[in-house]
Amino acid sequence: MARPRKPLLSRDRIVEAAGVLVDEEGLEAVSTRRLAAALGVSGPSLYNHFRTKDAILEAVADAVSAKVDLSMFDDGSGGGSGDGSGGGKDWRGALYDWAHSYREALSDHPNIVPVLARGPGRRPAGLRLADAVFGAMTAAGWPPAQATRIGALMRYFILGSAVASFAGGFVDDETAYDPADYPHLGQAHLLAERRREVDEGAFETGLTALLDGLTLQYEALRAGAPGA
């Protein structure tokens, strides 16, 4: 009986295996030796698909970017409510829905965020993401320079929210926060057990405030206010 053939090595298999390593152990865990062992191949065979470790990590980052929903930008004006309550197609609603999709993708793969923070570079999915946001903003009437700033602002906010948990930064030990030293942190030890509630609430609060501010700018722009 013929021996079963090993699956052919491909870029997709390498990226998938590297993604698992990044998710489970962090960026430092990725090496040609570890990947080759996980894939059951020799180390040099990886170089037929990727020249460097950095190139592999870039591909993993792009695979995460590809999971972000961009459908709200398809009609050029965006869709969604801007506050989660439904109704209305506009740039604000599109940014709201996109921000939540982006954060969800990053929350599933937080260890790759430092690579994504470098910018899209030449990554196809990352460039499609940037193109969709910029295109929707300019189609809505934002000047190109401001549309660029909005894309950057949203990226800073979303990536920052995925870097680490605020609530998770406090220990579940009420003796750690002596009122004599920290008079306003008497309940801080409770944050860890409410991590998801606190972090998701903070993201929603920040996103709404950010979009409220942009809406005021947009209204001033449309009204032709000086300096808008």
Side-chain angles (χ1 to χ4, degrees):
M1 179 180 297
R3 291 185 302 174
R5 297 178 59 187
K6 292 182 179 179
L8 293 176
L9 188 61
S10 66
R11 288 179 63 91
D12 287 346
R13 285 192 66 213
I14 295 171
V15 170
E16 182 179 1
V20 171
L21 279 177
V22 171
D23 287 345
E24 294 181 350
E25 302 181 43
L27 296 173
E28 298 77 12
V30 178
S31 67
T32 54
R33 180 183 61 82
R34 291 287 305 275
L35 283 175
L39 292 165
V41 299
S42 62
S45 63
L46 299 177
Y47 294 112
N48 293 325
H49 300 276
F50 293 98
R51 296 179 61 183
T52 65
K53 169 186 169 178
D54 282 346
I56 295 174
L57 292 177
E58 287 284 315
V60 173
D62 209 40
V64 173
S65 293
K67 297 180 180 181
V68 180
D69 182 15
L70 300 177
S71 63
M72 66 287 296
F73 299 121
D74 286 348
D75 65 359
S77 62
S81 65
D83 61 4
S85 61
K89 285 191 173 182
D90 58 9
W91 61 269
R92 177 184 170 126
L95 288 182
Y96 179 92
D97 294 342
W98 168 70
H100 276 279
S101 178
Y102 201 171
R103 182 176 183 270
E104 182 178 354
L106 298 185
S107 295
D108 291 339
H109 308 281
N111 290 339
I112 199 64
V113 171
V115 179
L116 287 164
R118 301 171 190 167
R122 297 175 182 270
R123 299 194 298 266
L127 290 170
R128 283 193 293 271
L129 187 154
D131 181 72
V133 174
F134 181 80
M137 295 306 100
T138 53
W142 286 100
Q146 187 66 350
T148 299
R149 298 185 191 106
I150 290 171
L153 171 63
M154 295 296 293
R155 183 168 161 272
Y156 298 153
F157 175 70
I158 298 165
L159 290 177
S161 75
V163 169
S165 165
F166 173 81
F170 294 86
V171 298
D172 185 13
D173 179 2
E174 60 182 332
T175 66
Y177 309 107
D178 190 332
D181 296 321
Y182 315 107
H184 305 296
L185 296 181
Q187 301 296 308
H189 65 284
L190 301 175
L191 290 173
E193 68 182 37
R194 301 175 181 174
R195 175 173 177 167
R196 180 171 181 176
E197 176 186 351
V198 172
D199 291 344
E200 290 185 355
F203 181 79
E204 186 69 23
T205 298
L207 179 60
T208 299
L210 188 156
L211 294 176
D212 283 348
L214 288 176
T215 298
L216 290 175
Q217 292 186 29
Y218 186 74
E219 290 172 350
L221 175 70
R222 302 292 285 181

